[in-house]
Amino acid sequence: MQSRLASPPTTSIADALRGDFPALAQRINGHPLVYFDNAATTQKPRAVLDAMRRHYEEDNANVHRGVHTLGNRATAAYEGARDRAAAFLNAPAREEIIFTRGTTESLNLVATAWGAAHLKPGDAIVLTEMEHHSNLVPWQLLARRTGAVLRFIPVLGDEGRLDLTGLDALLRGARLLAFTHISNALGTVNPVAELCERARAAGIVTVVDAAQSAGHMPLDVRAMGCDFLACSGHKACGPTGIGVLYGRRELLEAMPPYQGGGEMITRVTFEGAEYQAPPHKFEAGTPNIAGAVGLRAALDYLGQVGLPAIHAQIQDVTAYARERLSEFRGIRIFGPREGARGGLVSVVLPGVHALDLATLADQQGVAIRVGHHCTQPLHDRLGVPATARASFSFYNTRAEVDRFVTVLERVIRMLKGSP
Ligand code: C6P
């Protein structure tokens, strides 16, 4: 079938940049790798791998402690990464950037530290029905500890947009609104600025889960108007084990610490402790220094490529994938049909078990994810136990989508035993 979409430029940024990612060059089960599991984690460019290796070979030391040269270099690298992350998010101040293990820990930090100080029985926390377990379970735990209650913004049908018609009622009397920027299961892009503005007008604190948008598009916490934002380095070409929590300074200053230990104190006696100011108050113990170095290299790399160009490439490949997949008879495709969408397509194929599909696709070199993608309540709402998800980065191409479609056709023939 002829694509209705405009032809891509003769050479896309994907073609130009794929060579920067060593993992993409390999063959899997005798086939060139098609890596379509980027929503789970992205591959890493050589610049990130080199920066981390160089750090361990030349600058390795603990931070904020030593007066020796390596300690000073490590501290400069770690704090330099904080500056880079602040610029990446357009945060007003570097002190508003806390390094964590990733989105999950960032969200748990807010739920634990902010929640403990602010919630009382009966207070409402508003979430959406499309949240990843990382932006659901910490709030459930908090609700159990404090007696707060959870409310949910509904998701509309398979297109997966939020139903905002009852938002005012849901926000009434609430203390906090936490929601994902981009759904990892549907690809829905939520209207962050609008949601934050409406919450702010009602005096409600906002938390944005940017796990799926960081590294995919320019992010600007000032334009979003959020109070907190969480993201992971590993979904934005950085290493695993490092993430960021942005928090508005006044809120961070008023919050108790998350964990206790070295580095987060100014003075300790047997009876008690005085704490550092943010961000150090929230970074107990030796941090992931090499991870921060790798994250900085990743953000520099993304900056050099250009986030608008990255966004455009991901949009193009996603729209193309959605169009090609719609050729399959009876396929159920989730997520927005039109307009902005995240870089993924989730589907259910009639009569094809998602796990079989992913296993057979892998045998032909194609990596996709199947299951509930850590959004089990959403899948309950959609009435499906599992979907098959192809998720894209800017190094993916339309040609890879074509290969994926060919592999799918073959897999379906094998599973159904029909031509
Ligand atoms: N989603 C996926 O395959 P961590 O694991 O902390 O880096 O990120 C958690 C997380 C939070 N929110 C959203 C919207 C996410 O997509 C994720 C991670 C992966 O969809 C792994 S389950």
Side-chain angles (χ1 to χ4, degrees):
M1 187 181 109
Q2 192 61 39
S3 171
R4 279 181 286 110
L5 297 169
S7 314
T10 34
T11 53
S12 66
I13 62 164
D15 298 311
L17 298 172
R18 284 179 69 82
D20 293 346
F21 293 79
L24 295 178
Q26 63 190 301
R27 296 177 79 81
I28 298 293
N29 298 319
H31 301 272
L33 168 64
V34 172
Y35 185 75
F36 280 176
D37 196 16
N38 293 284
T41 199
T42 57
Q43 298 303 336
K44 318 304 171 198
R46 202 168 278 107
V48 169
L49 308 175
D50 289 349
M52 294 178 75
R53 184 184 179 89
R54 203 196 62 78
H55 168 78
Y56 275 127
E57 286 181 349
E58 297 174 20
D59 298 340
N60 180 49
N62 214 324
V63 291
H64 306 138
R65 289 167 169 84
V67 285
H68 54 75
T69 301
L70 294 193
N72 292 338
R73 278 197 219 146
T75 302
Y78 183 70
E79 291 303 326
R82 196 187 308 281
D83 292 325
R84 187 67 189 83
F88 177 71
L89 296 174
N90 196 26
R94 68 188 307 282
E95 292 78 13
E96 297 179 314
I97 300 296
I98 297 159
F99 285 125
T100 62
R101 284 194 296 125
T103 306
T104 303
E105 190 175 44
S106 297
L107 294 167
N108 274 279
L109 192 162
V110 181
T112 304
W114 181 91
H118 290 90
L119 289 190
K120 55 181 193 324
D123 282 346
I125 298 166
V126 181
L127 309 172
T128 81
E129 287 182 345
M130 67 172 77
E131 295 314 313
H132 187 280
H133 298 166
S134 293
N135 200 25
L136 171 58
V137 181
W139 305 114
Q140 291 174 340
L141 291 169
L142 175 64
R144 202 159 297 158
R145 280 199 302 274
T146 59
V149 294
L150 302 182
R151 297 176 185 161
F152 294 91
I153 304 175
V155 168
L156 288 166
D158 286 5
E159 276 216 57
R161 294 185 199 279
L162 291 180
D163 177 1
L164 298 179
T165 48
L167 185 64
D168 288 337
L170 285 171
L171 292 181
R172 203 161 299 131
R175 301 297 309 273
L176 180 130
L177 167 66
F179 62 97
T180 192
H181 186 185
I182 296 182
S183 159
N184 69 314
L186 301 161
T188 314
V189 184
N190 288 320
V192 189
E194 180 194 339
L195 287 169
C196 290
E197 196 185 322
R198 288 177 68 174
R200 194 170 49 248
I204 295 166
V205 166
T206 47
V207 182
V208 176
D209 173 351
Q212 294 297 341
S213 53
H216 282 230
M217 59 198 288
L219 292 185
D220 182 338
V221 290
R222 295 187 230 201
M224 288 179 178
C226 57
D227 293 309
F228 294 100
L229 179 140
C231 60
S232 301
H234 70 96
K235 294 185 199 285
C237 294
T240 49
I242 186 90
V244 168
L245 172 67
Y246 158 80
R248 209 152 52 71
R249 191 199 288 256
E250 307 86 272
L251 293 174
L252 292 178
E253 280 171 355
M255 277 157 57
Y258 172 49
Q259 295 179 326
E263 281 299 286
M264 46 77 73
I265 44 75
T266 51
R267 179 170 160 70
V268 184
T269 63
F270 286 119
E271 288 73 35
E274 288 162 21
Y275 311 124
Q276 293 241 40
H280 303 296
K281 178 165 72 172
F282 299 103
E283 293 181 2
T286 300
N288 184 353
I289 305 161
V293 168
L295 177 63
R296 186 207 176 128
L299 299 183
D300 284 345
Y301 180 87
L302 296 177
Q304 278 152 20
V305 176
L307 281 158
I310 286 171
H311 184 59
Q313 175 66 15
I314 294 173
Q315 291 293 305
D316 179 71
V317 170
T318 309
Y320 184 66
R322 204 186 151 102
E323 182 186 289
R324 291 290 332 262
L325 287 167
S326 66
E327 295 166 19
F328 287 88
R329 199 173 327 130
I331 195 169
R332 190 168 162 197
I333 306 183
F334 299 91
R337 228 181 296 260
E338 300 291 338
R341 53 169 91 86
L344 59 94
V345 184
S346 294
V347 302
V348 169
L349 278 155
V352 177
H353 195 286
L355 189 58
D356 295 339
L357 191 136
T359 308
L360 292 171
D362 180 63
Q363 283 173 11
Q364 295 170 67
V366 177
I368 58 167
R369 184 174 171 189
V370 294
H372 52 62
H373 315 297
C374 299
T375 56
Q376 217 164 8
L378 171 69
H379 279 68
D380 289 345
R381 272 276 177 281
L382 298 170
V384 289
T387 57
R389 181 187 74 183
S391 58
F392 312 106
S393 186
F394 57 91
Y395 43 65
N396 291 126
T397 63
R398 287 189 181 201
E400 287 183 301
V401 172
D402 290 335
R403 253 213 54 221
F404 173 49
V405 168
T406 306
V407 164
L408 269 189
E409 284 164 352
R410 207 174 298 148
V411 165
I412 291 167
R413 271 201 302 276
M414 284 162 75
L415 289 171
K416 293 192 168 173
S418 58

